[in-house]
Short mmCIF file of all heavy atoms in Angstrom, two decimals:
data_model
loop_
_atom_site.label_atom_id
_atom_site.label_comp_id
_atom_site.label_asym_id
_atom_site.label_seq_id
_atom_site.Cartn_x
_atom_site.Cartn_y
_atom_site.Cartn_z
N ASP A 316 -4.18 63.60 -68.42
CA ASP A 316 -4.10 62.14 -68.28
C ASP A 316 -4.55 61.44 -69.56
O ASP A 316 -3.99 60.41 -69.96
CB ASP A 316 -4.96 61.67 -67.10
CG ASP A 316 -4.26 61.88 -65.77
OD1 ASP A 316 -3.09 62.30 -65.77
OD2 ASP A 316 -4.89 61.62 -64.72
N LYS A 317 -5.54 62.01 -70.23
CA LYS A 317 -5.99 61.43 -71.50
C LYS A 317 -4.87 61.49 -72.54
O LYS A 317 -4.64 60.52 -73.28
CB LYS A 317 -7.23 62.18 -72.00
CG LYS A 317 -7.68 61.78 -73.42
CD LYS A 317 -8.94 62.53 -73.83
CE LYS A 317 -9.14 62.50 -75.34
NZ LYS A 317 -9.14 61.16 -75.92
N LYS A 318 -4.16 62.61 -72.59
CA LYS A 318 -3.06 62.74 -73.54
C LYS A 318 -1.95 61.74 -73.25
O LYS A 318 -1.36 61.13 -74.16
CB LYS A 318 -2.50 64.16 -73.50
CG LYS A 318 -3.43 65.21 -74.08
CD LYS A 318 -2.85 66.61 -73.91
CE LYS A 318 -3.82 67.67 -74.42
NZ LYS A 318 -3.30 69.05 -74.19
N ILE A 319 -1.67 61.55 -71.97
CA ILE A 319 -0.64 60.58 -71.59
C ILE A 319 -1.05 59.17 -72.02
O ILE A 319 -0.25 58.41 -72.57
CB ILE A 319 -0.39 60.63 -70.07
CG1 ILE A 319 0.24 61.97 -69.69
CG2 ILE A 319 0.50 59.48 -69.62
CD1 ILE A 319 0.34 62.20 -68.19
N PHE A 320 -2.31 58.84 -71.76
CA PHE A 320 -2.82 57.51 -72.15
C PHE A 320 -2.79 57.34 -73.66
O PHE A 320 -2.32 56.31 -74.17
CB PHE A 320 -4.25 57.34 -71.63
CG PHE A 320 -4.88 56.03 -72.01
CD1 PHE A 320 -4.71 54.90 -71.23
CD2 PHE A 320 -5.67 55.92 -73.16
CE1 PHE A 320 -5.29 53.69 -71.58
CE2 PHE A 320 -6.25 54.73 -73.53
CZ PHE A 320 -6.07 53.60 -72.73
N ASP A 321 -3.27 58.33 -74.37
CA ASP A 321 -3.36 58.23 -75.84
C ASP A 321 -1.98 58.08 -76.49
O ASP A 321 -1.85 57.51 -77.58
CB ASP A 321 -4.07 59.46 -76.42
CG ASP A 321 -5.56 59.47 -76.09
OD1 ASP A 321 -6.10 58.42 -75.72
OD2 ASP A 321 -6.17 60.56 -76.21
N SER A 322 -0.94 58.58 -75.83
CA SER A 322 0.40 58.49 -76.41
C SER A 322 0.96 57.08 -76.35
O SER A 322 1.82 56.71 -77.16
CB SER A 322 1.36 59.44 -75.67
OG SER A 322 1.54 59.02 -74.33
N ALA A 323 0.47 56.26 -75.42
CA ALA A 323 0.97 54.88 -75.29
C ALA A 323 -0.04 54.02 -74.55
O ALA A 323 0.22 53.52 -73.45
CB ALA A 323 2.30 54.87 -74.57
N PRO A 324 -1.25 53.81 -75.13
CA PRO A 324 -2.30 53.08 -74.41
C PRO A 324 -1.92 51.65 -74.05
O PRO A 324 -2.32 51.14 -73.00
CB PRO A 324 -3.48 53.11 -75.39
CG PRO A 324 -2.87 53.39 -76.73
CD PRO A 324 -1.69 54.25 -76.46
N ASP A 325 -1.13 50.99 -74.90
CA ASP A 325 -0.73 49.61 -74.61
C ASP A 325 -0.01 49.50 -73.28
O ASP A 325 -0.19 48.53 -72.54
CB ASP A 325 0.17 49.07 -75.73
CG ASP A 325 -0.64 48.61 -76.95
OD1 ASP A 325 -1.61 47.86 -76.74
OD2 ASP A 325 -0.32 49.03 -78.06
N LYS A 326 0.83 50.49 -72.99
CA LYS A 326 1.60 50.45 -71.75
C LYS A 326 0.69 50.48 -70.53
O LYS A 326 0.90 49.75 -69.56
CB LYS A 326 2.58 51.62 -71.70
CG LYS A 326 3.74 51.52 -72.69
CD LYS A 326 4.70 52.67 -72.49
CE LYS A 326 5.89 52.56 -73.45
NZ LYS A 326 6.85 53.67 -73.27
N PHE A 327 -0.34 51.32 -70.58
CA PHE A 327 -1.24 51.42 -69.44
C PHE A 327 -2.11 50.18 -69.30
O PHE A 327 -2.35 49.70 -68.20
CB PHE A 327 -2.11 52.67 -69.56
CG PHE A 327 -1.37 53.93 -69.28
CD1 PHE A 327 -0.84 54.70 -70.31
CD2 PHE A 327 -1.17 54.36 -67.98
CE1 PHE A 327 -0.14 55.86 -70.06
CE2 PHE A 327 -0.47 55.52 -67.71
CZ PHE A 327 0.06 56.27 -68.75
#
Side-chain angles (χ1 to χ4, degrees):
D316 281 355
K317 172 178 162 54
K318 290 176 183 177
I319 293 172
F320 178 87
D321 289 343
S322 66
D325 280 310
K326 290 184 178 180
F327 286 96

